[in-house]
Amino acid sequence: MISDGMAEVLRSLRLGEGGDPAQACARALDAAGVALSLLVGADRTAEPLWCHPELSARFEELQFTLGEGPGPEAVRTGAPVLEPDLDRVRPERWPVLLPAARDMGVQGVCGFPLGIGAIRVGVLTVLCDGDRRISEQQYADATALTAALTGAFLNGTGHGNGAGNGHANGTASRPDAMPDWPTGLNRPVVHQATGMISVQLGVPIQEALLRLRAHAYGSERPLGEVAADVVARRLRFGDDLDDDISGPYSPDTGKG
């Protein structure tokens, strides 16, 4: 049975009441933070919709850059990934993310996929508090929230066009507070760079994204910053697996 707090959050979402849904969800879950991301594009990358507080946004960006952690694993497996105490996680499971998460002050994380069967539409990432555990009530509330959001997106009630209540796209009486499917990407430069790298290397989109992530991590730069250099043709991925970036790009050396 869900808690009164989560019941109120779900009611507010259905009725389209205002406020910060991420903050409301974090409060209802008694969590240190909450982030909701949807999977979009050919490369199925996670686009953040809700994040509270700022630490959740930073951790979501870390998972996105590295491609590892409870969120990406929950998307891959289709099952919740519960690690409320990161100190108990084997280092080889997420070798890069774990030390970075500790440096951020993240103590525990749980990932809840949005989807049914083989269908994945997104992921809810919950940062755990200092208790380093997740209670049965928190688990019940989180799964109820993800089920409601999954139903909204798969049934079309979360596929608004970003213009009011969604009647323009044929949905009747869509709750305004249910998050819209992104009409514009939050990370367009990453998607564009991934496509360019795919063409440059002749590899699938997923591999191109991995190569972009690897370079961002190896150069200790934000993923978006590296992607911007690729799109601006300041950087070009080469064919040598040991040297993804061939150096400053000159328009005279070929097309991006």
Side-chain angles (χ1 to χ4, degrees):
M1 180 179 296
I2 65 173
S3 66
D4 291 342
M6 182 52 66
E8 177 61 23
V9 167
L10 297 180
R11 185 192 70 83
S12 296
L13 291 175
R14 287 193 299 270
L15 296 179
E17 296 179 353
D20 183 349
Q23 184 175 13
C25 290
R27 183 166 53 248
L29 290 170
D30 194 20
V34 166
L36 172 66
S37 294
L38 294 183
L39 305 179
V40 300
D43 50 1
R44 304 293 287 160
T45 54
E47 290 286 346
L49 265 69
W50 296 346
C51 289
H52 177 82
E54 192 268 340
L55 178 61
S56 291
R58 289 169 52 209
F59 184 78
E60 197 74 347
E61 184 67 23
L62 177 67
Q63 291 193 109
F64 174 71
T65 297
L66 301 179
E68 64 180 41
E73 189 168 310
V75 170
R76 285 193 298 270
T77 63
V81 177
L82 311 178
E83 294 296 347
D85 186 353
L86 291 181
D87 287 341
R88 298 174 65 89
V89 178
R90 301 186 312 277
E92 62 271 18
R93 184 177 183 184
W94 301 318
V96 183
L97 179 128
L98 288 175
R102 294 189 187 100
D103 289 344
M104 285 184 175
V106 174
Q107 298 174 324
V109 187
C110 297
F112 297 86
L114 274 66
I116 298 176
I119 300 173
R120 310 274 193 276
V121 296
V123 62
L124 178 74
T125 300
V126 178
L127 304 188
C128 301
D129 60 16
D131 289 342
R132 296 177 182 253
R133 66 183 182 86
I134 181 169
S135 67
E136 292 184 5
Q137 186 64 70
Q138 287 173 309
Y139 182 86
D141 285 350
T143 53
L145 176 60
T146 55
L149 293 171
T150 297
F153 289 120
L154 293 182
N155 291 330
T157 55
H159 288 69
N161 62 358
N165 62 13
H167 291 292
N169 67 355
T171 59
S173 183
R174 182 184 65 81
D176 290 334
M178 279 295 185
D180 285 336
W181 200 277
T183 55
L185 300 179
N186 295 319
R187 298 183 174 117
V189 69
V190 174
H191 293 272
Q192 188 176 353
T194 301
M196 291 175 66
I197 295 167
S198 175
V199 172
Q200 290 168 7
L201 300 180
V203 299
I205 286 290
Q206 289 287 1
E207 182 176 339
L209 180 59
L210 289 175
R211 299 285 287 274
L212 181 63
R213 282 171 166 161
H215 182 80
Y217 174 72
S219 60
E220 298 183 343
R221 299 173 62 200
L223 188 65
E225 186 178 294
V226 174
D229 281 350
V230 173
V231 171
R233 301 188 179 184
R234 291 186 291 267
L235 294 175
R236 177 182 171 87
F237 276 57
D239 297 324
D240 185 353
L241 292 177
D242 296 324
D243 184 17
D244 280 339
I245 299 294
S246 60
Y249 179 87
S250 167
D252 295 334
T253 63
K255 296 182 179 180

